[in-house]
Amino acid sequence: MVLSLVSLCAREVVSDHSSSPCWLRWVPRELYKALLEAAFSSCRPLAVGELVQRWPERTLRVGGRRKPGQTAPDRLCIQALLLAVVRGLSDQRCALQVLDLCGLQGDEGGMGDTMGGWSLTVALCTVVAQAKAGGSQKAQRREGERERKRFSALERAKDVKRERGQWKKPNRDEGSTDNEEPREKDRGRGGSCEIVGEEELITGVRRRMEIERKREPAVTGRKETEDVKSDVLVHVRADLFVNARSWERVRVALSSVGLLKLQCRYLRVEEISVSSIRTLLDLLPRQGLLGIDVRYSSLGVAGLAELLPLLSTFPALNSLRLHYCNLDFRRDYPGQEEALRDLSRGLAKLQELRRLSLTALRLPGQLRVLLSSLPQPLKILELPYLSLSPADLSYLSCSHHASTLQQLDLSENRLDENTLPSIRRLLSQATSSLQHLSLSGCGLTDGLLGLLLPSLGGCWALKSLALALNPLSMVGVTDLVRMAVRMPSLRHLLYPNPLEDYQPGLPDLPSSSQLLDWPLDEATDINTTSSQLNRLLIDSGRSDLFLTCDLLNYDKDLMD
């Protein structure tokens, strides 16, 4: 990646923190973004903090999709950023109003000292609490100032009335001096009127305030709402990762009212109950949530049917992912048909759903019931470990989703001669739209792959193809690569290790789990296989196509 002159200069500027007092006061606002990017890439947390505390723009976006080779920001830099946001709440130089941290989190346990999704969520909840504490002190000072102004107004009104009474008093004394008794009576009446006038003034001011409140209740209510909104100085938008350990912190942060307001774009929850998920969803703003990812939670069919109506209240929700949520339709039980109808009705209410991921839910023969009710065709459909039946694949190939699919994952669903025609028909429907396809662990042999290659080659928009953990020989892998080099849009191919690379003793038709656990033959040089396949790329002139058999580090998102 070639750096621009501005980026190179920005790195040099932030490299020496001792000089920051000299240049911070003079740097133009147009250079703040370049300096902040340089501070993140160079791991300069002090520079990050000073820049964010003085941020001159209304919006600051940190995160998003990273370029190839670009790592997530360092943990210390993220902590410095969050602390600077809190300090900036009381800094007149800071104009920040919206902080967008969506996509900022790195991989938990990944390379480098990045901050994962769970750690970032906990850190955000902490700074929200800190900002609320500071905002409470400001609110108390502001309320005290209001009381002081209110009493000052009353005192001024008293003084005005008193002065008016003293001005009228000489007018009464200008009358006849012959009759002293009337003058005394007048003087007595005048004195009593002065005292009553002060009391009436105080009562009148309060009475007028009460009448104005009754006359304009809607205006007053609107002002109170605006006062609550005006207390929020910065809206923080992020992807939240919640589990049993962080649930209480997130609940408090979402329900608190302070200077920082936490909002969520994508919500990921793990190992928490249905009632806890409902509580979180009730606290989230209805307009901001785009997707929810539920993992390792024992929802069951009843729990999912309970959540779906609540999810339909989020109008922008376009992604629903359910992983290992204890949905198993392989066993018959009372009320199963009614539960399926509830799921179908709930999915039908998700008007904007474009991505559906169902992992290891064991739903053989039920795909039509779930997908036919969706009002809009899906763009991303992930169905790994779903025990799909031939009837499921046949429906999918003829459904209204087939021609719009951009990403399809059918990994670990066994394919054979009976299901292959449905797969070929599905690929023919998605030739112009399909960009990512995964058929890993589907039991494809050399013969089945030979029947499937023409359909695969017809997917001219395909960018990535994953066929790991399939029992292919070196001949089958070679045929796969020869087909891949003729696909102009393909950029990433995950191929399986040939059967010849494994140690002896492997069954003739091994399963994906056997291929994953069986050791490779140390006597066979794996680099030889890679060299032969790369030679095919060189001969075809396809230097833009990346081949790999590394299943653990395979990432199709790098191709987007």
Side-chain angles (χ1 to χ4, degrees), residues 11 120 127 210 248 305 369 379 459 506:
R11 286 194 176 188
L120 178 60
V127 297
E210 292 176 359
E248 180 61 24
V369 178
K379 293 183 178 180
C459 297
L506 195 66

Side-chain angles (χ1 to χ4, degrees), residues 470-481:
N470 282 295
L472 297 180
S473 66
M474 187 60 192
V475 175
V477 173
T478 302
D479 292 340
L480 174 63
V481 174

Side-chain angles (χ1 to χ4, degrees), residues 333-527:
Y333 62 88
Q336 186 182 75
E337 294 298 327
E338 181 62 27
L340 271 173
R341 285 193 291 268
D342 291 341
L343 290 182
S344 179
R345 287 191 292 266
L347 289 172
K349 296 179 181 179
L350 303 181
Q351 296 293 327
E352 298 299 323
L353 192 66
R354 294 295 183 275
R355 176 174 188 167
L356 181 62
S357 179
L358 307 174
T359 301
L361 300 188
R362 311 300 183 188
L363 301 172
Q366 308 299 338
L367 200 61
R368 177 188 296 272
V369 178
L370 296 178
L371 299 187
S372 61
S373 61
L374 293 176
Q376 300 291 337
L378 295 171
K379 293 183 178 180
I380 300 177
L381 181 60
E382 297 171 322
L383 305 172
Y385 297 95
L386 220 63
S387 302
L388 295 177
S389 67
D392 291 327
L393 294 173
S394 177
Y395 160 74
L396 184 60
S397 66
C398 302
S399 68
H400 65 294
H401 307 288
S403 60
T404 62
L405 287 175
Q406 298 178 6
Q407 182 174 322
L408 177 62
D409 187 354
L410 298 177
S411 299
E412 300 298 334
N413 289 285
R414 196 76 178 178
L415 301 181
D416 53 25
E417 291 83 357
N418 296 325
T419 57
L420 208 60
S422 298
I423 297 297
R424 296 182 62 180
R425 183 165 58 249
L426 175 61
L427 294 178
S428 66
Q429 293 290 325
T431 53
S432 60
S433 62
L434 192 61
Q435 299 179 16
H436 305 285
L437 175 63
S438 179
L439 297 176
S440 297
C442 291
L444 292 175
T445 61
D446 290 355
L448 293 176
L449 180 64
L451 297 175
L452 193 60
L453 283 180
S455 299
L456 287 173
C459 297
W460 54 267
L462 201 63
K463 295 181 179 179
S464 67
L465 175 61
L467 292 172
L469 301 180
N470 282 295
L472 297 180
S473 66
M474 187 60 192
V475 175
V477 173
T478 302
D479 292 340
L480 174 63
V481 174
R482 285 174 177 166
M483 182 274 303
V485 298
R486 295 194 298 267
M487 302 175 67
S489 298
L490 193 64
R491 295 293 180 268
H492 208 177
L493 174 62
L494 176 66
Y495 64 88
N497 292 104
L499 295 177
E500 292 84 351
D501 289 350
Y502 289 91
Q503 289 186 4
L506 195 66
D508 294 336
L509 292 176
S511 64
S512 59
S513 59
Q514 291 174 325
L515 291 173
L516 183 62
D517 296 335
W518 205 270
L520 296 175
D521 192 354
E522 297 179 356
T524 303
D525 188 2
I526 301 178
N527 293 329

